[in-house]
Amino acid sequence: MSALLGLRPEVQDTCVSLGLMLLVVLLMGLARVIARQQLHRPMVHAFVLEFLATFQLCCCTHELQLLSEQDSAHPTWTLTLIYFFSLVHGLTLVGTASNPCGVMMQMILGSMPPDTGAMRLLAQLVSALCSRYFIGALWSLSLTNYHFDGRILACRNPIHTDMSKAIIIEAICSFIFHSALLHFQEVRTKLRIHLLAALITFLAYAGGSLTGALFNPALALSLHFPCFDELFYKFFVVYWLAPSLGVLLLILMFSFFLPWLHNNQMTNKKE
């Protein structure tokens, strides 16, 4: 603690923010261990684990967004943090989606029963709203100067381009990310987590300054929903509909179009 007090104020604030994120990860990890030991009903178990995973992701992203606002001219540090916490989430949130689009993809592909999928979606949406209020209460304590400023920055419009480009960006990011999830399943776990973390960091770098590159409706609900009171349709289309369209396009392409194209080519060769 004395070493921390000897640092510059902005460094102290950054260390406190990082400490809070790691504390959230540890607490959610402990809660998951207890849930696995105490909850034996499959539906309740699925709900609680998805709730905890989404809560962890949303809270950490709130704090990361706040840190990125402090030094937006030098994004290297922010991207490093995104990569690191993507690794942390990849290691700790195994077996959960934390993303309605991921659940929707599993349901459409038949790898998740509809009732389980509906329960996971409900857990994600409830958790996203709870994390929003939790972070608001945490920031109201003003543990750091960043938190005091964060209450002012919390409702800045995240869309810095026209709506058509924003839709395309979120749809493409969702398509790329879920395509990687689908095709990295055979890759060794340790390598897969690093590949996905690198991909998330790249997508955040490529589209973060324009839309935030969230490609996650639950995360968008936690981060930006209150900022669109008068423009709810814009929020819905960019952060809910566009990522869902990206997943649907992925499923259509790899489940229908590419097999159809392959079959046509094989038929032409035989003729």
Side-chain angles (χ1 to χ4, degrees), residues 3 39 47 55 62 64 68 98 100 127 130 137 153 155 159 166 174 226 242 248 254 256 258 260:
L39 300 177
F47 180 92
F55 190 88
H62 272 286
L64 278 174
S68 69
S98 309
S127 181
C130 289
L153 297 172
C155 270
I159 301 176
S174 182
L248 290 175
F254 287 99
F256 299 101
L258 291 181
W260 172 81

Side-chain angles (χ1 to χ4, degrees), residues 67-271:
L67 286 175
S68 69
E69 294 284 351
Q70 310 309 314
D71 193 13
S72 56
H74 301 89
T76 305
W77 171 237
T78 302
L79 294 175
T80 302
L81 290 178
I82 291 173
Y83 180 80
F84 173 75
F85 278 95
S86 296
L87 286 178
V88 171
H89 297 322
L91 290 169
T92 59
L93 304 184
V94 177
T96 56
S98 309
N99 188 332
C101 292
V103 173
M104 182 180 69
M105 181 174 71
Q106 293 180 59
M107 291 172 64
I108 294 175
L109 294 176
S111 58
M112 181 179 293
D115 55 345
T116 302
M119 186 62 70
R120 287 180 180 270
L121 289 173
L122 178 62
Q124 290 171 357
L125 297 180
V126 173
S127 181
L129 292 175
C130 289
S131 66
R132 174 81 190 187
Y133 291 114
F134 172 79
I135 285 295
L138 181 64
W139 286 358
S140 67
L141 300 176
S142 297
L143 298 176
T144 72
N145 291 327
Y146 295 167
H147 290 165
F148 180 79
D149 295 337
R151 283 179 284 165
I152 302 173
L153 297 172
C155 270
R156 288 178 59 181
N157 190 340
I159 301 176
H160 302 291
T161 184
D162 59 79
M163 192 168 176
S164 59
K165 289 182 180 178
I167 293 171
I168 292 172
I169 290 170
E170 287 295 317
I172 290 176
C173 286
S174 182
F175 178 92
I176 294 173
F177 176 71
H178 289 95
S179 178
L181 279 180
L182 196 62
H183 292 86
F184 287 172
Q185 291 179 357
E186 303 301 324
V187 179
R188 289 185 297 111
T189 302
K190 292 182 179 180
L191 178 58
R192 181 175 69 248
I193 292 172
H194 281 279
L195 290 174
L196 290 174
L199 178 61
I200 292 170
T201 305
F202 169 75
L203 293 176
Y205 175 75
S209 61
L210 299 176
T211 65
L214 299 177
F215 47 91
N216 184 334
L219 189 55
L221 181 66
S222 181
L223 290 175
H224 301 308
F225 176 69
C227 309
F228 286 86
D229 290 337
E230 299 178 359
L231 295 172
F232 176 75
Y233 76 93
K234 192 172 185 180
F235 168 83
F236 176 79
V237 171
V238 173
Y239 292 112
W240 285 7
L241 186 59
S244 301
L245 288 176
V247 169
L248 290 175
L249 178 61
L250 167 68
I251 294 171
L252 287 173
M253 177 173 291
F254 287 99
S255 297
F256 299 101
F257 178 71
L258 291 181
W260 172 81
L261 185 62
H262 176 73
N263 291 335
N264 277 357
Q265 289 177 343
M266 294 299 294
T267 301
N268 292 334
K269 287 180 180 180
K270 290 180 180 179
E271 292 176 353

Side-chain angles (χ1 to χ4, degrees), residues 45-76:
H45 185 263
F47 180 92
V48 172
L49 289 184
E50 200 66 51
F51 179 94
L52 294 173
T54 306
F55 190 88
Q56 174 181 317
L57 176 65
C58 291
C59 288
C60 289
T61 305
H62 272 286
E63 203 70 32
L64 278 174
Q65 186 183 51
L66 190 61
L67 286 175
S68 69
E69 294 284 351
Q70 310 309 314
D71 193 13
S72 56
H74 301 89
T76 305

